[in-house]
Amino acid sequence: MASPQPSQLDGPAFAHIPAPVKAKLRPFAIDKIQRIYQWMETEIIPREPVMDAQLAAKPWGMPALLRELRARAKEEGLWNLFLPNTFKESPGLTNLEYGCMCELMGRCYWGAMVFNCHAPDTGNCELLAKYCSEEQKEKWLKPLLEGTCGSGYSMTEPSVATSDATNVGIRITKKGDDYVINGRKLYSNCLWNKHLKFYILMGLSDPENPNPWRRHSMLIVPADSPGLTQVRNLTVLGYDWAPEGHGEYTYDNVVIPKENLILGEGRAFEIAQGRLGGGRIHHTMRLLGQAERAVELAIMRCRDPRFKPRGKLIGDFDSNIERVAQMRLELDAMRLVVLNAAETIDLFGPKAGRKAIAQCKVLVPKAIQGIVDECMQIFGGQGVTQHTPLPGIWAYARWARLADGPDSAHRHQVGRDELKKAVEITKRHQEYNRLAKVYGEKHGEKVHMMPEDSL
């Protein structure tokens, strides 16, 4: 592949893309990145107050503004950009190329919705494309890709620690040609949003199976199923996150036909791992865009001549100069972590990219949370009010440390995998000692080696 010409990569749309990544962008992707940037700058961010007004009047459902923008984006071919090129339904982008676009979409919380690239539909589309039958794809995946409906992913429960998903306890019972669901769920998208048409639910179908990884199954649950009730919308750090929202649900003898079983009974963990990879890095991609927006606001405040404590601009204080520098350094470092994960998936697949995905999940939300916290500090008291988007950005980053599994679970995974290397590492260090003794004798030197009982 020929490297793009420098003139193709000039301008603010490409300002934060690392040089090695720029060299790998194809003309097709470069055009998409530039067009997404223009949309965000001229069509989406300036309309945030309009969206706020429409959601305040009618929080649940697809706002008129969003319907209008989605129709135009679809017509212009800026649609379903997230689906990787390993799927026949893909527009042909790599995860690395999409990562550059997803960050731009993330500059506005609902920006990705305009391009049908928002959670949880992105992860659900990947799941349906990868694991469902052709009949299931026609009924459930096709409307998602066309944007005529929305979906939810139902895994978290209120009464058990579902950070260990083997604890998922909502019961799925086989009854003739149907499955019957009983129990409670948290999160997933708000049932009051009538654009939402179905949930993908993980539940306990074979509790006596001696293999805990084969006890659970996944079902497609229509949102209008009798017995499925939303108890209330869940606010997250005070935000209702309309129009998608989060809910608390009860399932009371909800009957689902066998045709809605995904892949087979006892296959839920296999499916979940295939789904969560993309979802984890998509959140981190969008968080980069949120953080860039926050840093821009902080820089504006630093140079605003109206704010001069002790006669100096806020940005003239050494502490704030260093604060801004640290934010930039951390943000650029997190971008490298995210894009490395995206390219690892492109080159070797999600399974081989497990560590890189976990790095994203652990490092990025916490770092972005800290960056936004510093931006709020620069703004002073105003920074924690609705005068700026900063509190909402902070809340999103904080929530992302728990979404698709808490960061502590992913740290545990990374640490466990590292400790598996102990035997091989020990052998290598024992060999260092052996060779050191040989070389010491060869050179006539008395060498001090690491004690054998330490190896």
Side-chain angles (χ1 to χ4, degrees), residues 44-325:
I44 294 176
I45 293 174
R47 283 187 166 94
E48 285 177 336
V50 178
M51 177 66 98
D52 291 344
Q54 290 188 2
L55 288 175
K58 187 180 179 182
W60 308 116
M62 182 73 73
L65 171 62
L66 199 50
R67 289 198 301 271
E68 172 198 332
L69 292 175
R70 281 166 61 86
R72 288 173 50 201
K74 186 177 183 181
E75 186 176 337
E76 293 187 21
L78 299 176
W79 194 254
N80 291 336
L81 302 172
F82 67 92
L83 202 59
N85 56 10
T86 49
F87 295 101
K88 66 180 182 181
E89 299 88 354
S90 169
L93 296 164
T94 65
N95 283 290
L96 185 66
E97 290 168 334
Y98 175 65
C100 300
M101 301 171 203
C102 192
E103 174 179 339
L104 296 174
M105 296 178 197
R107 289 176 58 80
C108 168
Y109 177 75
W110 48 268
M113 298 181 193
V114 172
F115 309 104
N116 212 39
C117 292
H118 55 289
D121 289 353
T122 53
N124 287 346
C125 282
E126 286 195 29
L127 184 157
L128 294 168
K130 187 173 182 179
Y131 296 110
C132 283
S133 67
E134 291 304 315
E135 292 77 13
Q136 289 172 328
K137 289 180 184 179
E138 180 68 22
K139 186 172 183 179
W140 306 108
L141 175 60
K142 185 177 178 181
L144 275 188
L145 292 175
E146 291 176 346
T148 57
C149 77
S151 64
Y153 186 71
S154 191
M155 185 170 178
T156 305
E157 297 181 6
S159 302
V160 294
T162 44
S163 56
D164 172 1
T166 61
N167 288 326
V168 167
I170 193 170
R171 285 304 310 274
I172 298 175
T173 306
K174 187 78 179 288
K175 190 173 182 180
D177 287 339
D178 297 321
Y179 293 95
V180 181
I181 308 172
N182 283 283
R184 299 168 64 202
K185 287 287 188 181
L186 290 182
Y187 285 101
S188 198
N189 286 32
C190 183
L191 190 60
W192 300 337
N193 182 345
K194 297 308 176 184
H195 181 69
L196 185 145
K197 297 302 181 184
F198 68 92
Y199 297 97
I200 296 175
L201 176 139
M202 179 175 178
L204 180 63
S205 57
D206 186 6
E208 304 305 320
N209 194 313
N211 182 351
W213 308 106
R214 296 303 301 269
R215 293 173 183 166
H216 296 79
S217 301
M218 280 198 183
L219 294 170
I220 299 170
V221 179
D224 60 356
S225 298
L228 170 55
T229 303
Q230 179 169 326
V231 178
R232 55 181 169 175
N233 182 61
L234 296 177
T235 60
V236 177
L237 295 169
Y239 291 88
D240 63 14
W241 299 110
E244 72 275 34
H246 299 286
E248 177 183 344
Y249 306 94
T250 59
Y251 287 75
D252 185 11
N253 290 318
V254 176
V255 178
I256 303 298
K258 65 179 181 180
E259 290 78 16
N260 288 22
L261 176 68
I262 301 176
L263 197 59
E265 291 183 11
R267 307 289 291 276
F269 279 94
E270 179 183 344
I271 299 167
Q273 287 307 306
R275 178 197 185 276
L276 292 179
R280 287 173 191 147
I281 64 170
H282 290 173
H283 275 307
T284 58
M285 289 169 180
R286 287 187 289 269
L287 278 171
L288 295 173
Q290 292 272 285
E292 285 291 352
R293 187 91 177 274
V295 170
E296 288 178 5
L297 293 173
I299 290 172
M300 286 169 50
R301 187 67 162 213
C302 282
R303 307 312 295 174
D304 192 328
R306 296 173 299 169
F307 298 93
K308 287 188 174 181
R310 287 178 277 170
K312 295 168 63 176
L313 293 172
I314 290 172
D316 286 342
F317 288 90
D318 287 345
S319 60
N320 287 330
I321 293 171
E322 293 187 10
R323 180 177 271 137
V324 170

